[in-house]
Amino acid sequence: MTGRGQGSAGDLLELVRSGRAITRGALQQATGLSRATVGQRLDRLFRAGWLREGAGGPVDSPLGGRPSITLEFDDAHAVLLAADLDTRHARAAVLSLSGELLAEHSGTLVIEDGPDVVLGELGRWFAELLEKAGHRAGEVCGIGLAVPGPVDSESGRVVQPPMMPGWDGYDIRGRLARSFTEHTGAPAVPVLVDNDANLMAYGEQRTAYPDCSAFVLVKVSTGIGAGVVVGGSIFRGIDGGAGDIGHIRVGADALCRCGSYGCLAAVASGGAVARRLAETGVPAASGSDVRDLLTAGHPEAAALARDAGRQVGDVLATVVTLLNPGVLMIAGDLAGTPFLTGVRELLYQRALPRSTAHLDVVTSRLGERAGLVGAGALVVEHLYAPERAEERLAALGV
């Protein structure tokens, strides 16, 4: 089942968490292990506090007998922290291991102030949130962070991020771990970092579309990025650059923040719409300002958002043809009716009918919390994956 010859305690945990085997008998059948061996390995998981017994299951035997006791992942034995950074705003939370938000905070945090300042402030937010949630820092098992730039998942460092000056190659994991310790006094915990669109896609797909094998989320805020989930896993490319559709050239002469001309983000992002509004005398400086104008029904903002949607839809016709997703989700500051209308106009006009025959074009279910939920899920999947779980059990001495 795992290529290692026999089911470890971590393998058994994965079977229970996934719902593929939730009784001792089912675990024996799935792994080929003896009843005694399954019992020994489950005992380690019980002693760690990772498993608990649930209600009795149905009686499978026609002869009757006692129902089998089901096994459940105990999501109350720890909590995790998550944060989602935008260019001028951030959101942070304490989450349960099942993804429930236990405490949340949002506020101004300017990415251009640099990683030392921003990550130091996040540590302070985390300490205050833990107190608000009524949890000790020692209960935290990991931290997930979403950032608005491409991330090398192996190192957790951003790679040439156009909207994150001063962050290129910075040790985000190390600094955030130290900040957590500085503000809470607790030992450092694992920190995972990924692109914000990736984690939004991961959170949305796992929450609302778990059966969708090819899922694409496009975030249109100050910039434009896409997250792709294939077969239940984030598709990142070889070094984290997958989904960076904001820098596809669309033939315009506008200067992009990356230094090139004609990028999609330079003409169709929330930042681009804000600049066009400002040129006409409408006060707007960012994607969030455009969102507020759209919410208020501002006609010029709506017209520009629809035009931006058409430009993005033209590019998405190629994305849909290439990936053939079942769900295309539009998220971010511009994800309202005008922008979505524009996307649909060009997408269905330019893409082959076969590519869109089974495609659902939708807007975000989780809203501004999608990145937090995705960051939390990433941490849980990392910490409780079979091999990592074995390492942690050994470290716990069970």
Side-chain angles (χ1 to χ4, degrees):
M1 135 185 166
T2 64
R4 296 195 297 277
Q6 56 184 349
S8 66
D11 290 320
L12 268 58
L13 179 67
E14 183 176 47
L15 286 168
V16 173
R17 288 185 59 238
S18 67
R20 287 178 286 161
I22 59 171
T23 65
R24 288 169 173 80
L27 289 169
Q28 286 178 242
Q29 186 174 9
T31 61
L33 298 175
S34 69
R35 179 178 179 179
T37 302
V38 166
Q40 291 167 359
R41 292 179 182 173
L42 289 178
D43 184 57
R44 297 178 67 200
L45 298 171
F46 280 117
R47 282 186 283 143
W50 295 1
L51 280 189
R52 64 187 173 205
E53 290 187 341
V59 177
D60 295 328
S61 171
L63 301 177
R66 292 191 304 174
S68 300
I69 299 298
T70 59
L71 303 170
E72 300 173 351
F73 179 60
D74 189 343
D75 61 3
H77 72 268
V79 295
L80 55 90
L81 300 169
D84 186 1
L85 299 180
D86 209 330
T87 52
R88 304 189 62 82
H89 183 270
R91 188 175 294 270
V94 181
L95 293 90
S96 73
L97 298 182
S98 59
E100 178 188 0
L101 271 71
L102 306 176
E104 186 179 4
H105 173 74
S106 63
T108 300
L109 208 52
V110 181
I111 207 90
E112 291 185 355
D113 287 344
D116 191 58
V117 171
V118 170
L119 299 175
E121 182 68 1
L122 271 184
R124 185 179 70 80
W125 286 15
F126 285 151
E128 293 175 353
L129 281 167
L130 284 167
E131 184 175 351
K132 180 180 177 181
H135 284 276
R136 296 176 291 103
E139 296 176 71
V140 175
C141 63
I143 300 172
L145 178 65
V147 298
V151 177
D152 177 2
S153 60
E154 291 297 317
S155 66
R157 299 171 190 251
V158 292
V159 183
Q160 301 177 0
M163 295 192 298
M164 301 177 70
W167 290 71
D168 187 21
Y170 186 86
D171 181 17
I172 296 175
R173 289 177 179 171
R175 178 66 181 101
L176 189 52
R178 291 193 302 274
S179 181
F180 169 73
T181 297
E182 289 164 7
H183 288 279
T184 65
V189 296
V191 176
L192 273 71
V193 185
D194 210 327
N195 171 261
D196 54 357
N198 283 349
L199 292 180
M200 290 173 69
Y202 197 46
E204 296 275 10
Q205 188 270 339
R206 288 174 58 89
T207 301
Y209 300 94
D211 297 327
C212 180
S213 60
F215 179 96
V216 176
L217 177 142
V218 179
K219 179 186 179 185
V220 187
S221 291
T222 300
I224 300 175
V228 180
V229 180
V230 177
S233 299
I234 298 171
F235 179 77
R236 300 181 177 90
I238 59 171
D239 62 3
D244 204 2
I245 65 169
H247 300 286
I248 292 175
R249 306 292 175 82
V250 294
D253 59 1
L255 177 63
C256 183
R257 295 181 66 165
C258 72
S260 297
Y261 286 88
C263 293
L264 180 65
V267 296
S269 65
V273 172
R275 285 192 296 274
R276 292 175 67 183
L277 286 167
E279 289 169 0
T280 66
V282 178
S286 66
S288 59
D289 291 336
V290 177
R291 178 191 61 204
D292 293 341
L293 290 167
L294 291 170
T295 301
H298 192 283
E300 191 165 359
L304 289 174
R306 181 168 179 169
D307 183 54
R310 288 170 58 84
Q311 292 170 303
V312 172
D314 198 8
V315 170
L316 289 180
T318 300
V319 172
V320 166
T321 301
L322 178 66
L323 297 178
N324 190 210
V327 175
L328 172 62
M329 177 175 284
I330 308 298
D333 292 329
L334 297 193
T337 300
F339 185 86
L340 192 63
T341 298
V343 167
R344 284 178 166 145
E345 283 179 22
L346 264 289
L347 173 62
Y348 288 107
Q349 177 182 324
R350 299 292 170 83
L352 291 172
R354 187 190 182 286
S355 300
T356 57
H358 303 289
L359 175 68
D360 289 330
V361 182
V362 300
T363 54
S364 172
R365 295 281 190 91
L366 297 175
E368 295 181 340
R369 293 175 170 173
L372 296 176
V373 173
L378 188 74
V379 171
V380 171
E381 293 306 314
H382 171 74
L383 292 180
Y384 297 94
E387 291 186 4
R388 181 63 177 148
E390 281 297 309
E391 295 171 5
R392 295 177 63 218
L393 288 169
L396 289 171
V398 298

